[in-house]
Amino acid sequence: MTPEELLDAYEEMALIRRTEKAAHDLFMSGFVKGTTHLAAGHEAIAVGASAALRPDDYVFATYRGHHHAMARGATPEECLAELMSKATGLCQAKGGSMHLTKASTGMLGSYAIVGAHLPMAAGAAWSAKLRGSGQVAVAFFGDGATNIGAFHEALNLAAVWQLPALFVCENNLYMEYTPIADVTAVPNPAADRAGGYNIPGEVIDGNDVTVVHEAVSRAAERARKGDGPTLIEAQTYRHFGHSRSDPAKYRPAEEVERWLKHDPLDVARARLEAAGVPPETISERDRRAAQVVEAAVTAAKNAPEPDRELAFTDVWADGSATWRT
Amino acid sequence: MADVITYREAVAEGIAREMRRDSTVVCLGEDIGAAEGVFKTTVGLFAEFGPQRVWDTPISEQAIVGAAMGAAMTGMRPVAEIMFSDFLACCWDYLANEIPKARYMTGGQVTVPLVIRTANGGGLGFGAQHSQAVENWALTVPGLKIAAPSTPADVIGLMASAIRSDDPVVFFEHKALLASSGQRPPDGHLVELGKAAVAREGTDITVVALASTVSVALKAAEQLQGDGISVEVIDLRCLVPLDMRTVLSSVERTSHLLVVEENPYQGGWGGTVVSVVADEGFEMLDAPIKRVAGACVPLPFADALEAEVIPTVDKVTEAVRRLSAY
Ligand SMILES: Cc1ncc(C[n+]2csc(CCOP(=O)(O)OP(=O)(O)O)c2C)c(N)n1
Ligand SMILES: [Mg+2]
């Protein structure tokens, strides 16, 4: 990444970080109902990958997907409004935190059934191949998803059909409250499985946006050349608990401390400074991100509630929900 | 002071009571051990029974239920947790094709004494993939018994029967009821599978409910009493076996039937209940049968939208008023 690209990536990560912090505060103060799965700590994966993709590539994410929606162009306001059940939300308040989607930019959804979207990404890649469009499809998923059948079925299919698909595991060491290591037969839950499907698999530092950018660029190039899928295991850590108000007491204090010292924003800032970008320029981006998120919170709070009739729209392609004559 | 227990605690208590009396009862599921369950419905089990009886699994629903089946075929009584009932879809083969058919298609050679427990239902704003009431999914498959308790005492009593049953039981624990509380039943408390409860006696109309809709029906009944309408509320407690005797004998007295169900009207369990009444009790009725059910849409996220599509007290009172004015 050039220093300019890195600076933009830094700002995007700062924007996501602050949006997640705002989502957390809004949840704790009762403005956000239901649940949230925050991606604070995972920013570099979404931003680094997105910077390596073409605007028309496809992205599929999990319920922990705010960062992917934003990295593919959703605004903090659209996301927060969705979390706050407002009519201006990304999905008209019908999806919620776990289902952020921005189809217009190829962000084809956030899925709350673990593993469900890996075969979908394979399908989108298959479609790109059939249409000869040169697009790739990327599935982002957690370490926990590597033990569900859909992960294995998708990898094998993508491999035998040589699909332009990227499988990017965000390994944050935990499923909900159980360490992935306790229930997985191999040390690297994603990358160690790649051999079984005869595709390349690599473990990378998911908290270094330049490393993610590079790995995804390579994998995307390979996919576009027709050489098939790649599995990338990006190591990272979540800054909040699994969901809602989970205090994540099951994580050892020294582990948390070690990872918080390896914050993706700090890593990017250090790289920028090493490249000679003045600290003031970087802080300016921080300020801008803070302003955008602050304005987004206000706008989302002031946005209207969804019209009750929305409950009965869009089951069908004609916009209706009619199931009988 | 009465000994009170929450619905949530009753789940763990019900399992623990059976684990104490039968060493073949073992539990498996995601985050159920040291983490004591995402809904805290397995609190204390790991501490009391240890890792040989309480097993944390990977996120592998097919392996969870498939392994439970294999263990059940070979001398154990597994209690498998599927964290949210929506995820039953991930292991549906075992519920639709394997578990319910093993005994029948082997001419009775194989028995599958297992329980699949799962957190069911909406009202918590978890959106379309974590809020569904799916008892009706299981109801489409002959060979599965189905329990869906509405009170802590019934959780314990039905859990005991489910675990002791030589037949497979799908056990629905309603998420919106987890924090509710009630009397802690005495040791040895058993509720037979397939016995409905009359949750409130009444003379004018029979309202049949299950799990979350029992409290909705009871609240509606309370309000309607002020208008001089006497509502009998039947808590089915199980869908299979289906206690139609209790329903029919109530309708015989009230001549009016309303069913309140959380799952969508389309394919909902109420359709089965009313078809039996239409078949066998038509002459008893003084009014058409009505169902208040979920709308035929996926569950929307926003609270205000969710309330539009699931049964509420207002929808039930309105339906009862219309029926009694018929
Ligand atoms: C099929 C399925 N099983 C279980 C769950 C419940 N669940 C939601 S998130 C989660 C943990 C997932 O862990 P991981 O894949 O590592 O992702 P992370 O949350 O760490 O980002 C579980 C078990 C689910 N949503 N879907
Ligand atoms: Mg994880």
Side-chain angles (χ1 to χ4, degrees):
Chain A
M1 290 179 122
T2 65
E4 289 70 35
E5 286 170 341
L6 185 53
L7 195 59
D8 287 345
Y10 178 87
E11 181 173 355
E12 183 64 28
M13 291 198 292
L15 201 63
I16 295 169
R17 175 68 54 85
R18 283 166 199 277
T19 303
E20 294 298 65
K21 174 74 170 73
H24 178 260
D25 295 347
L26 290 165
F27 182 85
M28 297 311 264
S29 53
F31 285 97
V32 170
K33 295 283 172 48
T35 186
T36 58
H37 299 76
L38 302 176
H42 289 224
E43 296 89 349
I45 299 170
V47 173
S50 190
L53 296 176
R54 276 182 8 194
D56 63 341
D57 287 335
Y58 299 118
V59 164
F60 293 81
T62 75
Y63 51 86
R64 192 184 309 288
H66 302 174
H67 53 330
H68 294 298
M70 288 180 58
R72 296 310 275 172
T75 64
E77 184 185 332
E78 289 173 313
C79 295
L80 292 173
E82 182 67 22
L83 271 60
M84 291 164 74
S85 301
K86 295 303 181 81
T88 53
L90 263 182
C91 304
Q92 300 182 311
K94 290 164 86 167
S97 167
M98 295 201 283
H99 301 297
L100 296 187
T101 302
K102 195 165 172 86
S104 60
T105 63
M107 198 287 174
L108 290 183
S110 305
Y111 296 87
I113 305 297
V114 166
H117 59 301
L118 279 79
M120 296 178 211
W126 179 46
S127 152
K129 183 179 169 116
L130 292 174
R131 289 180 286 110
S133 68
Q135 295 161 289
V136 304
V138 191
F140 296 94
F141 52 95
D143 42 279
T146 63
N147 290 321
I148 200 157
F151 165 83
H152 297 272
E153 296 183 25
L155 285 187
N156 185 60
L157 190 76
V160 292
W161 288 2
Q162 288 286 286
L163 301 177
L166 277 60
F167 297 96
V168 181
C169 176
E170 303 180 39
N171 182 1
N172 59 14
L173 311 183
Y174 293 82
M175 306 189 295
E176 295 207 12
Y177 314 135
T178 302
I180 188 68
D182 288 2
V183 295
T184 309
V186 291
N188 302 302
D192 290 350
R193 264 74 176 257
Y197 304 101
N198 200 19
I199 65 177
E202 65 174 318
V203 178
I204 65 166
D205 180 357
N207 282 8
D208 187 335
V209 71
T210 64
V211 169
V212 174
H213 178 261
E214 208 181 285
V216 172
S217 300
R218 252 185 286 120
E221 195 185 309
R222 195 181 118 81
R224 287 192 226 283
K225 274 202 315 223
D227 292 343
T230 300
L231 183 53
I232 296 170
E233 178 171 333
Q235 294 179 325
T236 189
Y237 206 70
R238 47 174 159 75
H239 285 193
F240 292 104
H242 170 71
S243 66
R244 294 160 63 90
S245 53
D246 168 27
K249 291 267 170 53
Y250 43 85
R251 303 194 302 191
E254 86 47 50
E255 179 188 281
V256 176
E257 199 183 322
R258 179 157 41 86
W259 276 96
L260 289 184
K261 279 196 198 127
H262 190 55
D263 184 317
L265 282 159
D266 294 343
V267 173
R269 177 180 272 271
R271 284 196 179 280
L272 284 167
E273 288 177 3
V277 178
E280 188 38 43
T281 308
I282 307 171
S283 299
E284 175 52 34
R285 298 299 186 105
D286 274 319
R287 267 195 300 279
R288 205 155 77 179
Q291 278 163 7
V292 171
V293 174
E294 209 173 300
V297 170
T298 308
K301 277 186 178 166
N302 293 334
E305 304 287 326
D307 191 332
R308 298 293 168 97
E309 267 141 44
L310 276 177
F312 304 101
T313 62
D314 278 329
V315 172
W316 309 116
D318 69 2
S320 80
T322 310
W323 70 281
R324 53 163 291 185
T325 57
Chain B
M1 202 182 85
D3 194 0
V4 164
I5 185 169
T6 64
Y7 187 103
R8 182 191 316 280
E9 291 162 348
V11 174
E13 171 77 15
I15 300 169
R17 288 185 185 186
E18 293 310 299
M19 291 182 81
R20 285 177 202 131
R21 63 181 284 286
D22 181 351
S23 64
T24 68
V25 179
V26 290
C27 297
L28 73 167
E30 295 160 18
D31 298 292
I32 67 164
E36 304 194 307
V38 165
F39 293 105
K40 296 286 171 249
T41 44
T42 55
V43 168
L45 298 183
F46 188 74
E48 180 173 351
F49 302 102
Q52 288 302 308
R53 310 247 339 249
V54 180
W55 292 69
D56 271 325
T57 66
I59 305 173
S60 306
E61 279 74 13
Q62 295 196 70
I64 294 169
V65 177
M69 180 179 178
M73 292 163 83
T74 52
M76 307 306 288
R77 286 186 182 269
V79 178
E81 177 178 306
I82 295 297
M83 194 186 285
F84 285 74
S85 60
D86 313 67
F87 313 159
L88 288 173
C90 298
C91 47
W92 194 242
D93 175 44
Y94 293 96
L95 283 104
N97 295 320
E98 315 297 347
I99 289 165
K101 300 184 166 70
R103 184 175 173 80
Y104 188 83
M105 69 188 187
T106 62
Q109 296 178 70
V110 172
T111 307
V112 192
L114 59 76
V115 177
I116 299 169
R117 305 171 32 240
T118 189
N120 189 52
L124 300 186
F126 285 169
Q129 297 182 337
H130 280 70
S131 303
Q132 299 170 88
V134 301
E135 299 97 334
N136 60 325
W137 292 2
L139 185 58
T140 62
V141 187
L144 297 174
K145 291 190 172 167
I146 303 169
S150 72
T151 67
D154 282 353
V155 168
I156 290 176
L158 287 169
M159 187 70 78
S161 293
I163 293 174
R164 293 179 202 184
S165 166
D166 285 337
D167 295 314
V169 179
V170 188
F171 196 97
F172 291 96
E173 297 157 10
H174 202 286
K175 295 195 282 290
L177 298 176
L178 290 172
S180 64
S181 54
Q183 288 257 300
R184 179 195 302 269
D187 273 344
H189 179 63
L190 267 180
V191 174
E192 200 183 322
L193 296 173
K195 281 265 182 292
V198 178
R200 178 188 173 110
E201 290 185 356
T203 53
D204 297 335
I205 178 163
T206 300
V207 175
V208 173
L210 183 76
S212 68
T213 66
V214 174
S215 60
V216 172
L218 288 172
K219 279 183 204 129
E222 196 63 43
Q223 286 183 14
L224 289 158
Q225 186 169 27
D227 303 357
I229 303 174
S230 166
V231 176
E232 177 145 302
V233 178
I234 293 177
D235 177 355
L236 281 179
R237 303 201 281 202
C238 289
L239 289 180
V240 178
L242 183 60
D243 185 359
M244 284 310 299
R245 195 171 301 155
T246 297
V247 175
L248 285 164
S249 83
S250 176
V251 173
E252 190 169 22
R253 283 181 287 104
T254 65
S255 303
H256 291 80
L257 175 63
L258 175 73
V259 178
V260 188
E261 51 194 306
E262 187 176 327
N263 59 202
Y265 187 97
Q266 167 191 0
W269 57 259
T272 301
V273 172
V274 304
S275 77
V276 176
V277 175
D279 261 6
E280 299 173 18
F282 184 72
E283 270 92 35
M284 305 172 188
L285 292 165
D286 284 346
I289 303 168
K290 289 289 172 203
R291 294 168 61 203
V292 171
C296 299
V297 299
L299 268 294
F301 163 66
D303 285 354
L305 299 183
E306 194 178 32
E308 285 292 302
V309 309
I310 60 178
T312 58
V313 174
D314 285 349
K315 291 177 195 171
V316 174
T317 52
E318 196 195 314
V320 169
R321 284 206 184 91
R322 257 190 280 122
L323 269 189
S324 54
Y326 180 81

